[in-house]
Amino acid sequence: MAKLFRTAIMGPPGSGKGTISKRIAQNVGLQYLSSGHFLREGIAANTDAGVLVKGYVERSMLVPDHLMSRLMLPRLEQLTGHSWLLDGFPRTIAQAKALNDICQMDLVISLNIPFETLRERVSDRWIHPASGRVYNMGFNPPQVQGRDDVTGEPLIQHADDRPEALQARLRHYKDVAKPVMNLYKKSVLLSNAEAASKPLGSLSQGILYQFSGTDTDRIWPYISSLLSTKISTQPLDTCQPSAQA
Ligand SMILES: Nc1nc2c(ncn2[C@H]2C[C@H](O)[C@@H](COP(=O)(O)OP(=O)(O)OP(=O)(O)O)O2)c(=O)[nH]1
Ligand SMILES: Nc1ncnc2c1ncn2[C@@H]1O[C@H](COP(=O)(O)OP(=O)(O)O)[C@@H](O)[C@H]1O
């Protein structure tokens, strides 16, 4: 049985989830699954799932929880036997509960970045719409200005990255993410029977680690060191539903 490591990264738009996830995947060698990327792939390939979610994604609305869980959970079940990192899922408490039903996570990373920093970053953000590759004109510019490094196709800026839209997205993120963070935050020791008899919202798991700052390069060493500690002390295990399941 291998040591398996299941983790998720949370944070407001522009907080650096994608940037940090890429570093984690390179350093730790786990499977990286970004919900936004996964949905966009389905839309581009015109799969049944892609057709169902297209309207929501194009309007930057959250895909309904039941649909999101129906798409993501089988994908995770295919990764049995692998360590993974989720970016963008679970985003709501309903999604977190659905994930708990199939798997206990080991660690949740939350990025806490000041609004002004987010505003500066997203106003400088350019994306390659087909792949979701993200560039920042100061931090990680493309090799050729305005062009994707891999395909050479033009980069675009998202209407959602305008400051007014960002403010609204941030408010929405805070409302939706708070109960999810509370679920992962505090440690409570409960027997399975106790856990089963409590409403899920009252349970929390003590696996949330928050990182604050304005620079990804400064936050990264702390995350890297946390991961080394967590992974080296991780018991041999397979994916199990959490006590709440
Ligand atoms: N100047 C600067 N830019 C950064 C830093 N870290 C990341 N960025 C850039 C890369 C992107 O253009 C932008 C947002 O980063 P990400 O796309 O990694 O963020 P995230 O995945 O959280 O955004 P999303 O949820 O997709 O809106 O900021 C940093 O420390 N300094
Ligand atoms: N966990 C999720 N629940 C509901 N919708 C999601 C989820 N993840 C992604 N989406 C959909 O995909 C879109 C793109 O997601 P993402 O790439 O994470 O970017 P953003 O930070 O703009 O939300 C979202 O606007 C939303 O429509």
Side-chain angles (χ1 to χ4, degrees):
M1 221 184 280
K3 285 183 179 183
L4 295 177
F5 193 66
R6 271 70 189 248
T7 183
I9 188 162
M10 301 178 63
S15 56
K17 298 182 296 293
T19 307
I20 287 173
S21 295
K22 226 196 282 172
R23 294 186 191 183
I24 296 176
Q26 275 162 3
N27 276 258
V28 179
L30 37 63
Q31 304 271 330
Y32 168 52
L33 186 54
S34 146
S35 57
H37 186 223
F38 175 63
L39 297 176
R40 282 190 293 271
E41 266 181 354
I43 294 170
N46 212 22
T47 59
D48 291 347
V51 172
L52 285 173
V53 301
K54 191 169 191 268
Y56 298 101
V57 175
E58 282 178 352
R59 280 174 282 159
S60 299
M61 287 164 61
L62 287 187
V63 172
D65 289 328
H66 66 279
L67 185 52
M68 206 57 213
S69 299
R70 209 173 86 207
L71 298 175
M72 288 296 284
L73 299 185
R75 181 80 191 84
L76 291 178
E77 280 169 335
Q78 284 168 4
L79 294 178
T80 302
H82 293 270
S83 295
W84 43 247
L85 163 66
L86 302 178
D87 169 3
F89 184 90
R91 198 171 289 203
T92 65
I93 188 71
Q95 294 175 12
K97 288 177 185 178
L99 178 59
N100 266 353
D101 286 346
I102 66 156
C103 193
Q104 167 76 65
M105 276 203 289
D106 302 299
L107 171 71
V108 176
I109 294 167
S110 165
L111 302 175
N112 182 22
I113 311 296
F115 177 76
E116 191 50 28
T117 306
L118 298 175
R119 195 193 56 72
E120 279 167 19
R121 281 186 195 173
V122 300
S123 63
D124 240 7
R125 171 159 68 178
W126 290 76
I127 57 165
H128 176 239
S131 67
R133 271 184 290 277
V134 174
Y135 300 88
N136 180 283
M137 288 313 156
F139 184 71
N140 60 333
Q143 285 156 14
V144 176
Q145 199 180 354
R147 299 267 159 190
D148 176 49
D149 287 351
V150 177
T151 62
E153 288 166 358
L155 303 177
I156 62 153
Q157 270 203 304
H158 233 288
D160 267 2
D161 284 347
R162 289 189 314 268
E164 325 77 75
L166 179 67
Q167 197 128 28
R169 286 165 79 204
L170 196 58
R171 263 198 305 271
H172 184 240
Y173 170 77
K174 283 187 175 158
D175 291 345
V176 172
K178 201 167 172 199
V180 181
M181 289 203 264
N182 284 340
L183 174 70
Y184 293 129
K185 203 183 263 171
K186 289 176 232 100
S187 213
V188 281
L189 289 173
L190 293 171
S191 69
N192 281 352
E194 282 172 322
S197 67
K198 294 223 179 219
L200 186 54
S202 69
L203 298 174
S204 41
Q205 302 172 349
I207 55 170
L208 181 80
Y209 288 75
Q210 288 205 61
F211 295 88
S212 303
T214 54
D215 290 315
T216 296
D217 287 346
R218 287 197 180 199
I219 291 174
W220 168 244
Y222 294 101
I223 295 182
S224 172
S225 125
L226 172 69
L227 286 169
S228 314
T229 314
K230 287 279 172 193
I231 290 172
S232 64
T233 56
Q234 182 65 10
L236 295 178
D237 205 355
T238 54
C239 199
Q240 298 292 337
S242 70
Q244 295 96 313

